[in-house]
Structures are given as structure tokens and as C-alpha cells.
Amino acid sequence: MKKQIILGGHFDLESKKIKITELEAKMKQEGFWDNIDLAQEVNKELTIIKRLVDQITNVQKSIEDNLELINILEDTEFSMILEDMSNLKSKIEALEMNTMLNGEFDNLNCYLEIHPGAGGTESCDWASILLRMYERFCEKNNYTYEIIDEQKGDEAGIKSVIILIKGEYSYGYFKGEKGVHRLVRISPFDSNKRRHTSFASVSITPEFNNNIDLEIKESDLKIDVYHSSGAGGQSVNTSNSAVRITHLPTKVVVTCQNERSQLKNKEQAMKMLKSKLYQLEQEKKEQELNKIKGINVSNEFGSQIRNYVLEPYKLIKDLRSGYESSNVDKILDGDIRELMESVLKIKVRQYADNQTL
């Protein structure tokens, strides 16, 4: 007789099956596809839940089958299930990572911004290296990205960049990249080949849908239009299509220049602004709740989170999770999933510790 494995909490199959039924019924309603954005969100949620249910069901069946085998096999025959147990371990580890991506906004797309620190050309070049690292990660892991705004450096690199990243658990994976990234290397711009230290800050904002309840007054906005930067020559945009919006009460600034139409750039900029302001509201509420609970959670933005040392030795180290790797070329080429997951794991442990206070 098989021993039934009961999975609850994040792995509660029954609640997920009920959710699937509700979403499928919603998709069958008349006029469902009239709102394309909302319909795509529902379809995306349904796809993810169905995939998770399949993963849980497969793992559950493997565990039950192996338990039954253990009951009937002799001690000398356990090697028959070792290979299956190894595969099962990998599946369970994948499910474990899924439990760390169950935050309220983890499945949303996200905006990733990079701004170089002081240091001129050196820091601008470091910002462009970080941008390439994230772009390569997206390409290797089925994420799509779109450059919303990019300001080139005077000599090399970038002064700032905003990209929109789309895919499953985009915000969940990238939120751990928020903070200051430090590079130590022999400068390619120094004729004396001296070692330089450069900094660049990364910020991550969820792309909230248009249905969030947030009112923005026109009187609180300062809107500037200007020529968008481009490749030059025949590609240069001679019209004032780029848009910069400043929210005066909070001093939040957003820019967009990827579209040739000023109207479309303004729509995208307003969407980014709304997402940023909503995130600020959520962070404020969380801080107030933590204060009530007596939990002291430091604000990681503006703090150094990771070192990338290329000279006098090669080592990348995350200062939060303790993750280290000497294979810097591989990481800078976008192989950062293990690094990102190490941060997710430490954040989950910290959250669990805070909940027990």
C-alpha cells in the first residue's frame, strides 16, 4: 500500500487546483479578451500555476513510488533506485527555489536601472559591463528585455540605463540585485596600468499593472521633452520624442526614449512612474509594520552588496549570502543564476528569523 504524501503551505495542491478552475472559468467569460493586458496577466498566472502543479504531482508520485520500492526490496537491491533518487533530489531543489519566489510581486516583470558612481569613464564602463551581464543572463534564461532609456558615456560606457525585463518571476529573481556593485581591476583607460575601483548602483522596480489604485495629480508633475540620443547619421531622431517626468513631491524622475513617438514615450514613462510610486508606498507600509513588530530591517539600497575583483586576483563575492566564485569571466558573461539564488535563500532565512521575533 502506498503511503500518501501530504503537501501543504506553498505546495497546497488542492488550493492550486481550485485556483486553476477559477482562472479557467474567468477566461471563458464573455469579453475577457477585451482587456488584453489583464487577459495576458491571467493567462500568465494560469500557466505558472499549472506548471507548478505538474511539478509537485510528479515529485509526489516519485516519492510514493520509491517508498513502495523500499518496502519490498531487499537491502542489496537499493541500488536500483539510486539513480531515480538523484533525479528526485534535483526536482525537489527546483521546487524549493519556487517557494522562495512566492512574494506578492515576485511574478511581475521589472524595470532594472544602472547608474555609475563617481569616477567618470571608468565607472561608466563598469555600468556597461553590468548591463551586458544582465542582458546575457536574460538571453540564456528565456527572459526578454527592452532598453527603455539609455544615456551613453562621453568617452565609453553608459551614464545611465533602464531596461524592462519580462518573464516568469522576473522581479523575484532580479530584486536581489538591488544595491551597489564594486569593481576592482587594472583600468583599460589608464596608460600607467594602475588598479582602479569603480562603483555602480542597481535598482529594481516591479512593473505593476494599470489596475493599481494610485492617483497622480497633473499639478505634481514636471514634464520635459528633448531629442533622444541615438546612433547618429540617418538614424538620429531630430524631433523632441524623449520624455522626462519628475514627480515633484517625491523627486522621483523617470525617462523614456525608446519609442519614436513622444506620446508612446510619455505613456511608458508614466507607467514607470506609477510603478515606482506604488513601490514606495508598499515599502513605507512594510517599514511601518516592521516598526510595530519591533523588526529592524536595514534598507539595502545604497549599500555595497557585491565585490567583483579582477586584480590582483580573481574573485566575485556577494557580501550578503557569502557566495564566492573565481570564475569571473563566466559570471560577467551572464552565468549568475546560482549567485542570484544564493541571495534568495539568505533573504528567506532572514525573513523567517524576523517572523520568530
Side-chain angles (χ1 to χ4, degrees):
M1 180 180 177
K2 288 187 178 181
K3 182 179 180 180
Q4 185 179 8
I5 306 298
I6 305 298
L7 300 173
H10 185 58
F11 292 148
D12 187 350
L13 276 178
E14 290 307 313
S15 66
K16 284 178 169 49
K17 289 177 180 178
I18 292 173
K19 186 65 175 178
I20 288 173
T21 302
E22 291 174 351
L23 292 175
E24 287 178 337
K26 191 173 185 178
M27 293 180 69
K28 294 176 181 178
Q29 292 177 358
E30 185 177 352
F32 172 77
W33 289 100
D34 292 347
N35 186 333
I36 294 296
D37 291 339
L38 181 59
Q40 288 177 340
E41 287 178 18
V42 173
N43 188 52
K44 180 180 178 181
E45 183 181 5
L46 177 61
T47 300
I48 291 172
I49 296 177
K50 278 186 172 180
R51 186 179 298 120
L52 180 57
V53 167
D54 288 341
Q55 289 175 325
I56 296 172
T57 302
N58 289 336
V59 168
Q60 186 178 28
K61 185 176 185 305
S62 295
I63 292 174
E64 292 173 347
D65 289 346
N66 282 321
L67 284 174
E68 185 173 2
L69 278 173
I70 289 172
N71 288 331
I72 64 175
L73 291 178
E74 298 294 332
D75 291 343
T76 56
E77 296 176 299
F78 278 121
S79 59
M80 294 176 59
I81 62 171
L82 288 180
E83 183 178 349
D84 191 44
M85 292 294 286
S86 177
N87 294 333
L88 182 59
K89 181 182 177 182
S90 299
K91 292 177 181 178
I92 291 175
E93 288 175 350
L95 280 176
E96 180 188 18
M97 183 52 57
N98 190 279
T99 67
M100 301 177 188
L101 296 166
N102 64 342
E104 184 179 359
F105 308 125
D106 282 357
N107 192 38
L108 297 179
N109 300 326
C110 67
Y111 297 101
L112 182 148
E113 298 182 47
I114 305 175
H115 298 277
T121 300
E122 187 71 37
S123 293
C124 289
D125 186 57
W126 170 224
S128 68
I129 293 172
L130 280 176
L131 173 62
R132 180 184 179 278
M133 180 182 77
Y134 292 128
E135 289 176 335
R136 294 288 289 142
F137 172 80
C138 290
E139 292 162 2
K140 294 177 179 180
N141 292 274
N142 298 318
Y143 289 97
T144 60
Y145 65 88
E146 175 186 0
I147 295 180
I148 301 298
D149 185 76
E150 183 178 20
Q151 302 293 328
K152 297 290 188 180
D154 295 332
E155 297 180 30
I158 53 176
K159 290 182 178 179
S160 69
V161 67
I162 303 172
I163 64 173
L164 174 60
I165 299 172
K166 297 181 178 181
E168 290 185 8
Y169 301 111
S170 297
Y171 179 68
Y173 263 100
F174 281 91
K175 65 184 180 183
E177 296 302 295
K178 176 182 176 182
V180 173
H181 298 243
R182 172 177 174 260
L183 171 71
V184 180
R185 66 171 175 174
I186 300 295
S187 171
F189 307 101
D190 188 336
S191 58
N192 294 317
K193 302 299 180 183
R194 290 173 294 189
R195 192 162 66 238
H196 285 245
T197 299
S198 305
F199 297 89
S201 67
V202 175
S203 63
I204 309 293
T205 306
E207 184 197 33
F208 295 104
N209 59 47
N210 292 321
N211 297 319
I212 58 175
D213 185 18
L214 182 66
E215 181 183 355
I216 301 177
K217 298 178 181 178
E218 284 288 334
S219 58
D220 289 339
L221 301 180
K222 180 177 182 293
I223 302 176
D224 300 303
V225 295
Y226 54 97
H227 282 10
S228 61
S229 58
Q234 293 182 347
S235 299
V236 71
N237 190 344
T238 58
S239 63
N240 289 329
S241 61
V243 175
R244 179 190 300 111
I245 302 178
T246 304
H247 186 250
L248 300 175
T250 60
K251 308 302 181 186
V252 171
V253 180
V254 294
T255 56
C256 182
Q257 62 169 317
N258 64 312
E259 302 286 350
R260 297 189 67 86
S261 162
Q262 183 186 125
L263 179 60
K264 289 184 178 180
N265 280 329
K266 183 180 178 182
E267 288 176 354
Q268 179 66 68
M270 283 299 298
K271 192 173 183 180
M272 278 192 290
L273 178 62
K274 199 171 185 180
S275 292
K276 283 197 170 191
L277 294 180
Y278 188 73
Q279 185 183 34
L280 285 175
E281 285 294 319
Q282 295 302 309
E283 290 174 351
K284 184 179 178 181
K285 290 178 182 177
E286 184 177 355
Q287 289 171 3
E288 291 173 351
L289 183 60
N290 287 334
K291 194 177 295 184
I292 293 172
K293 290 181 177 180
I295 300 173
N296 183 20
V297 181
S298 61
N299 181 6
E300 291 181 347
F301 183 72
S303 61
Q304 185 175 315
I305 63 167
R306 192 175 300 150
N307 289 326
Y308 304 73
V309 181
L310 308 187
E311 290 288 345
Y313 52 86
K314 292 183 180 293
L315 181 69
I316 291 179
K317 180 174 182 178
D318 191 277
L319 303 181
R320 300 156 299 174
S321 67
Y323 177 94
E324 293 184 358
S325 175
S326 58
N327 197 343
V328 298
D329 293 334
K330 189 176 180 182
I331 287 179
L332 291 177
D333 195 41
D335 192 0
I336 58 174
R337 177 177 285 273
E338 189 176 342
L339 173 53
M340 296 169 90
E341 290 180 350
S342 75
V343 177
L344 283 172
K345 290 175 182 177
I346 197 69
K347 283 182 175 292
V348 168
R349 286 198 293 270
Q350 289 173 345
Y351 177 78
D353 290 343
N354 283 332
Q355 292 300 101
T356 61
L357 291 178

